Every structure is written in structure tokens, then in C-alpha cells.
Amino acid sequence: MLLGLYAVYSASRLLADDSLDPAVDRAGRLLDLEQASHLDLEHPLNDLFTRFDWLGVFSSYWYATAHYVVTAVVLVWLYRQGADRYRPARRALVLATLLGLACYLVVPTAPPRFIEGYVDVLQLHSTAGWWGGDASAPRGLGQMTNELAAFPSLHAGWALWVALVLQVVATVRWAKVAGWTHAVVTAVVVVGTGNHWLLDVVAGWGVVVVAWVCVALARGMVGQSAPREAVVSGLCRNP
């Protein structure tokens, strides 16, 4: 599964239009829509994350680490809960990721850090961790990152997936609260570090919700057809 997703990501990165001007133009249209809706929170959050070094370093580590580590830990934990819980959630994660990658291929969009007036917080604190100036990629591997993959934010999307999984499967309240806290903090971090627009976050949540609902509907249809198949099989064995 992981190799397949990496292959699709690589294809989207190689096939997507890497022209900066159209990507910046799309980002400008997103910002215009946010300003018309009074949702343009990027500047105040980015200024806040830039003004306080401790917040900038914390958010940089969160952006470069939590997206991968937390999702992997929840996947392993979910696997141990049994196939009936693991498989639908895994399918939803894969489908959401594929939807996100399709958007990267069709509508490459520049992040705020490419726009004048916004600070790339990870680049600002690149000496504090293993990432370089190219988003969260390790130093020297920036060419492997699609820097025009802002819309939708899969950082935000995967974090919402974690929250949904814990809400549905976890049996203790603190785990559910931790899941939603992770989703909210990730949403704030990706905007504050200059890596995503607020509407990127909304779109990232959207692809996860769509994937989650699609998997649930498909599972329901399969469940409804199973009794009929059992009846037909029984009649064949006992005419």
C-alpha cells in the first residue's frame, strides 16, 4: 500500500505542471475568496509564528514529524484492533490521499510561503531540525517534494482521519480528545508556518470526509448483498 501510494505521489509530482505563475495565480484566487469571506487568517498566524522563536521551532517540528508519526502509530494500533475496523479506515485514508494527489496533478497551487509578505517558518528554523528549505523534506531531498501541492492540505486531512478513527474506535475519552486536538493543532500549524491557506485545510478535511462516507456506503452495500448471496449459495447446495 505504501509503495503504491509513493508511486502515485511520484507520478503526480513528475506529471504535474510546475509552472510557478499559474500556481501563484490560483493561490491569489484562494486568498481573494478568503478575504471576501473574512477567513484570511494567514497573515496574523504567520506573524505570530514568526515573532516567537519557540513557537516557530515547535510548529516546525510538528509539521515535519506529527503528520507521519501520529498517522503511522494510529494505523498500527488500528491494525491490532482487528480487520473489521482496520480495513475500512485504511481504505478511507488511501482514497483520501489519492483524491488529494489528483488535485495536485490537476490544480497545482502555491503555498503562502511563495507569496510576498509571508514567511517560510520551516526555512527560518531549518538549522533547528533535519528539514531544509524545501517544506518538510530532509536536507538535500528537496527535489523529491512537490512544492506546489498546497491544495488540499493532506497534513490537515490525515490529522482529521486520525481524529475520526479515534472517535469511532477508541473506548477512552482522553484518546478521542487527543485525536481532535491533533487535528486542530495541525490545522493551525500548517497555516501559521506558511505552508497552506485556510481553504487548503478545509479542502483537506473535505477529501477525508468524502472518502470516509464513500467507504461507509460501499461497506453498507456489500453488507446488504451478503445475505442474498448466502441464500443463493444455500439453494445451490440444497435444491
Side-chain angles (χ1 to χ4, degrees), residues 5 10 12 27-29 36 54 56 64 68 85 123 165 183 196 204 212-213 218:
L5 286 177
S10 298
S12 72
R29 279 180 278 172
W54 67 268
Y68 309 103
R85 294 181 172 180
Q123 186 179 53
V165 166
H196 289 284
W212 192 278
V213 171

Side-chain angles (χ1 to χ4, degrees), residues 174-204:
W174 68 262
K176 301 176 189 288
V177 173
W180 290 110
T181 300
H182 171 64
V184 171
V185 171
T186 299
V188 174
V189 163
V190 299
V191 174
T193 55
N195 282 286
H196 289 284
W197 306 97
L198 181 62
L199 288 181
D200 295 340
V201 172
V202 175

Side-chain angles (χ1 to χ4, degrees), residues 142-210:
Q143 71 278 5
M144 299 179 65
T145 300
N146 181 1
E147 294 201 77
L148 300 180
F151 182 90
S153 169
L154 285 181
H155 271 73
W158 282 20
L160 180 64
W161 176 87
V162 167
L164 291 173
V165 166
L166 293 176
Q167 180 66 37
V168 172
V169 180
T171 58
V172 292
R173 181 177 176 80
W174 68 262
K176 301 176 189 288
V177 173
W180 290 110
T181 300
H182 171 64
V184 171
V185 171
T186 299
V188 174
V189 163
V190 299
V191 174
T193 55
N195 282 286
H196 289 284
W197 306 97
L198 181 62
L199 288 181
D200 295 340
V201 172
V202 175
W205 287 345
V207 296
V208 167
V209 170
V210 168

